[in-house]
Amino acid sequence: MDYIKGRGAQINPDNRFFEHNYEKDLSFLQHLHQAGEKENKPKTEYIQVHPKTIVNKVTSPDLGFSYSMNPYQGCEHGCIYCYARNTHEYWGYSAGTDFESKILIKENAADLLRAHFKSKSWRPSPIMLSGNTDCYQPIERKLKITRSLLEVCLKYRHPVGLITKNAMILRDLDILSEMAQMKLAKVVISLTSLKDKTRSVLEPRTSAVGIRLNAIRSLSDAGIPTMVMMAPIIPSINNMEIMKLAEKVAENGATDLAYTIIRLNGIIPEIFTDWLEKNYPDRVDKVLNQIKDLHGGTLNDSRFKLRMRGEGEMSNHIHQMFAMAKRKYGLGLEKHPFDLKLFRRSVDENQLELF
């Protein structure tokens, strides 16, 4: 099978929850090869869904937020390591190429959030956009669902955090800067590598490295607290970049730097291993064995407080490197708490929108 450029996953494994599995006709694939033809590349489909709620309670002790909202399910960015791939199986799709080519959209998200804020039982607490898939993936440029959610947050004076790999976030600088002045907005830019060659195979449809660094600078210059998440750390792929990456993000105004260790849960080990064999064939065993060393001898680690930090000698070394990098480049010295007192449950819906 030819390499699918522009996609992370190169396979589309069967959904684990389906009773029946399907295999490709090998004779047909051989016929295509002999005829010099290729299989149809997966085209992105956008599928509208109609959820009843948009704010999700987060119970994981590994995450630094209690609520999240996801305007999209599935993610066209195609990051090969993404833990959210497994959630696509609950929608009846595959965690492989389906995850990045069948995108579920929630066009009623803003209405749901507005109703949520009006509920008398709601007490203001920071909400993360997004806790699962990227809220600034390509289709956002057209649909503007994330922007509509930010407009609601601004109108109700409700705190929000955002995490993204896409410089499209600069489109919403007007809203974010106004919210930041009221201590209602913080941003996390995910940056896994300073090498675009690495980024292009790890995260094929994300913003280029230089563009992301520029986004960090622009957000910072606009007074928006912006930290960087180096996630995930993949041994023998990007762990050697920690110090240099810390230097670069500090130069561009980042306030802090954090990280997670790669973990391959659910069906992702199969997808990731296939990707490794096609992109780094010289180090497949080395990478997989080092990941196992970080997770007690397994690729699939579900243990709270260990699954995202790892354990063992390599984990300790990575932790020490990050601590050293943060001290050297002055990261994490300032705290930027949200102001929860500005929230207003009652808003005149007849007043003109600001944006």
Side-chain angles (χ1 to χ4, degrees), residues 152-202:
V152 173
C153 287
L154 174 58
K155 192 169 187 177
Y156 284 80
R157 303 293 190 262
H158 194 282
V160 65
L162 299 95
I163 182 167
T164 183
K165 292 179 171 66
N166 200 321
M168 193 195 308
I169 190 173
L170 296 181
R171 179 201 64 188
D172 298 331
L173 206 60
D174 54 348
I175 301 178
L176 293 173
S177 59
E178 183 173 353
M179 293 187 71
Q181 289 176 10
M182 294 184 280
K183 298 181 180 180
L184 294 175
K186 291 191 283 189
V187 170
V188 180
I189 297 295
S190 179
L191 184 62
T192 313
S193 172
L194 292 176
K195 302 174 183 177
D196 256 319
K197 184 176 181 181
T198 302
R199 176 208 59 82
S200 66
V201 292
L202 268 179

Side-chain angles (χ1 to χ4, degrees), residues 251-271:
E251 286 177 359
N252 284 278
T255 59
D256 202 354
L257 176 66
Y259 74 96
T260 63
I261 294 289
I262 188 170
R263 65 185 182 95
L264 305 174
N265 56 320
I267 194 66
I268 300 177
E270 179 181 345
I271 299 169

Side-chain angles (χ1 to χ4, degrees), residues 220-245:
S220 178
D221 288 348
I224 302 163
T226 304
M227 72 174 291
V228 170
M229 178 67 75
M230 190 177 181
I233 298 293
I234 308 175
S236 297
I237 300 291
N238 68 341
N239 62 306
M240 65 290 292
E241 296 189 57
I242 294 172
M243 194 63 70
K244 187 64 177 177
L245 189 142

Side-chain angles (χ1 to χ4, degrees), residues 48-165:
Q48 188 167 342
V49 293
H50 303 278
K52 295 181 179 180
T53 59
I54 191 63
V55 177
N56 310 301
K57 174 67 177 173
V58 177
T59 58
S60 170
D62 297 322
L63 300 177
F65 51 90
S66 299
Y67 296 92
S68 69
M69 50 186 172
N70 299 280
Y72 307 100
Q73 296 293 145
C75 187
E76 198 174 351
H77 282 161
C79 303
I80 190 60
Y81 49 75
C82 185
Y83 61 84
R85 286 182 176 274
N86 289 301
T87 64
H88 229 43
E89 294 187 315
Y90 294 103
W91 293 90
Y93 301 110
S94 169
T97 53
D98 275 0
F99 174 77
E100 50 200 272
S101 62
K102 297 183 186 300
I103 311 301
L104 311 182
I105 60 176
K106 305 173 184 179
E107 292 194 284
N108 63 334
D111 290 337
L112 293 173
L113 183 61
R114 194 175 292 109
H116 185 85
F117 287 161
K118 288 181 178 180
S119 171
K120 293 182 179 179
S121 63
W122 175 248
R123 296 293 176 266
S125 180
I127 302 175
M128 178 61 74
L129 259 168
S130 303
N132 200 10
T133 56
D134 204 305
C135 58
Y136 283 106
Q137 54 184 288
I139 191 60
E140 167 62 20
R141 189 174 301 280
K142 175 183 178 182
L143 298 183
K144 299 181 180 180
I145 301 176
T146 295
R147 183 174 176 88
S148 70
L149 289 170
L150 290 176
E151 289 173 348
V152 173
C153 287
L154 174 58
K155 192 169 187 177
Y156 284 80
R157 303 293 190 262
H158 194 282
V160 65
L162 299 95
I163 182 167
T164 183
K165 292 179 171 66

